[in-house]
Amino acid sequence: MNGLIFDALKRTLKAKGMTYRVLAERMGVSEPTVKRIFHERNCKLDRLMEICAAAGVELENVLGSMNRGPGPANHIAPEIERKLAGRPALLFIFVMLSEKFTPEGIMRSQGLSEASMFLYLRDLEELGLVALGRGLSARLLVETPIQWNFDGPLRPLFEVTNKNFIGWAITHLEREATFVSFSRRMRPETAEMVRREAEELAERAKLLAHHDQHTTPEEGLVGYKWTFAFGATPFPVIMPIGPHPRDAGARADDRVAPAANGRRLPA
């Protein structure tokens, strides 16, 4: 049991970005002492509570998070994705459930009636994605996190969702959102380094969220979205530029520029 507790404590420290040195300073002991405790994975209860207090977490929450480390991503069957593609609202309900929203929390967030929430949950049960309990309780039948197929039937919905989010972020920069967009020329090696760092930051954000979801009551949680895209800029796709309208030497078919969807737009 002690081993599992210390595994959970290590995840807590990692999620909070707290080193053994910082923990030792808060406890008023030496760093080697803290390292020894974690190496031996054993200590008295009062010392364990002291560690939790220094880490800023309740012991009962650490115990509750044992064996709950983020696991490998799981996939939804293609036929289920196809059915969800035709029911955007049903997909969004399921996504929120997979993000640990309760049905009551979804109702408050979306302004839904109890009847609507129940009907959505029943539809998800028919798809084999949740199991209904009493009232509005529902248990996910798919392990999280979920890795969606971005090249599958749900792609248009994911594109719309992210476009909507970016539009919202741009109009809420003062208080609620961050939006950064720029293009720069750099070596491919530099771009690869930036990409790896961004992926590492995303993994840290997931770990922090996982920790919060298992140690914080739902009323203390707020949903946040991370959208990140990085790659060699496809200028002709995102910023199409055709020949100047008064360019008499341009051929007729040169006076249109490619659009993102493969069709061609007037220049």
Side-chain angles (χ1 to χ4, degrees):
M1 176 65 73
N2 282 347
L4 295 177
I5 292 175
F6 277 91
D7 286 342
L9 275 172
K10 286 182 179 179
R11 289 196 297 270
T12 296
L13 295 179
K14 184 176 181 181
K16 290 177 172 289
M18 186 179 297
T19 64
Y20 287 153
R21 180 180 60 79
V22 172
L23 184 63
E25 290 176 354
R26 292 187 178 184
M27 294 174 62
V29 300
S30 66
E31 184 177 355
T33 296
V34 170
K35 288 183 176 180
R36 185 181 70 252
I37 293 173
F38 276 81
H39 176 71
E40 295 176 353
R41 299 158 66 90
N42 191 21
C43 67
K44 294 182 179 180
L45 179 60
D46 57 348
R47 176 65 88 181
L48 185 61
M49 294 182 68
E50 186 180 356
I51 293 173
C52 290
V57 65
E58 297 291 336
L59 175 58
E60 60 182 289
N61 291 333
V62 173
L63 296 176
S65 67
M66 290 192 310
N67 286 331
R68 290 181 179 174
N74 293 281
H75 298 267
I76 301 295
E79 60 271 18
I80 301 300
E81 286 198 347
R82 284 193 292 272
K83 292 179 180 179
L84 290 173
R87 299 279 306 278
L90 194 61
L91 168 67
F92 300 151
I93 292 285
F94 179 66
V95 168
M96 294 184 75
L97 288 172
S98 71
E99 290 296 325
K100 303 298 187 289
F101 278 82
T102 63
E104 291 77 12
I106 297 174
M107 288 170 56
R108 289 193 299 270
S109 171
Q110 300 288 343
L112 297 175
S113 68
E114 186 172 335
S116 286
M117 190 70 237
F118 175 77
L119 291 171
Y120 279 128
L121 291 175
R122 191 173 66 180
D123 290 345
L124 289 173
E125 185 178 49
E126 291 178 356
L127 292 179
L129 296 175
V130 305
L132 287 178
R134 289 186 175 183
L136 291 178
S137 64
R139 176 173 57 88
L140 281 178
L141 297 180
V142 180
E143 293 292 330
T144 57
I146 297 171
Q147 178 60 62
W148 299 96
N149 178 15
F150 293 116
D151 289 326
L154 292 173
R155 177 173 176 173
L157 293 180
F158 290 135
E159 289 180 353
V160 169
T161 299
N162 282 286
K163 288 177 181 177
N164 289 344
F165 174 68
I166 290 173
W168 174 88
I170 291 174
T171 58
H172 291 76
L173 291 177
E174 294 298 324
R175 292 177 300 172
E176 302 175 75
T178 298
F179 177 78
V180 179
S181 177
F182 61 88
S183 295
R184 296 290 187 276
R185 303 182 74 188
M186 63 182 70
R187 296 184 304 121
E189 294 81 4
T190 303
E192 177 61 18
M193 179 187 68
V194 171
R195 184 190 62 79
R196 287 197 305 268
E197 291 179 354
E199 290 182 346
E200 290 171 1
L201 179 58
E203 289 304 314
R204 174 166 165 72
K206 293 176 185 177
L207 183 60
L208 286 167
H210 177 84
H211 174 269
D212 285 354
Q213 288 169 9
H214 288 295
T215 59
T216 307
E218 187 186 7
E219 58 269 21
L221 297 172
V222 176
Y224 287 88
K225 180 172 174 56
W226 170 296
T227 295
F228 175 78
F230 180 76
T233 311
F235 286 108
V237 174
I238 65 173
M239 300 170 61
I241 303 173
H244 191 280
R246 295 197 301 271
D247 180 2
R251 299 191 308 272
D253 59 353
D254 286 337
R255 294 184 180 275
V256 291
N261 58 11
R263 295 193 295 268
R264 299 175 74 82
L265 298 174

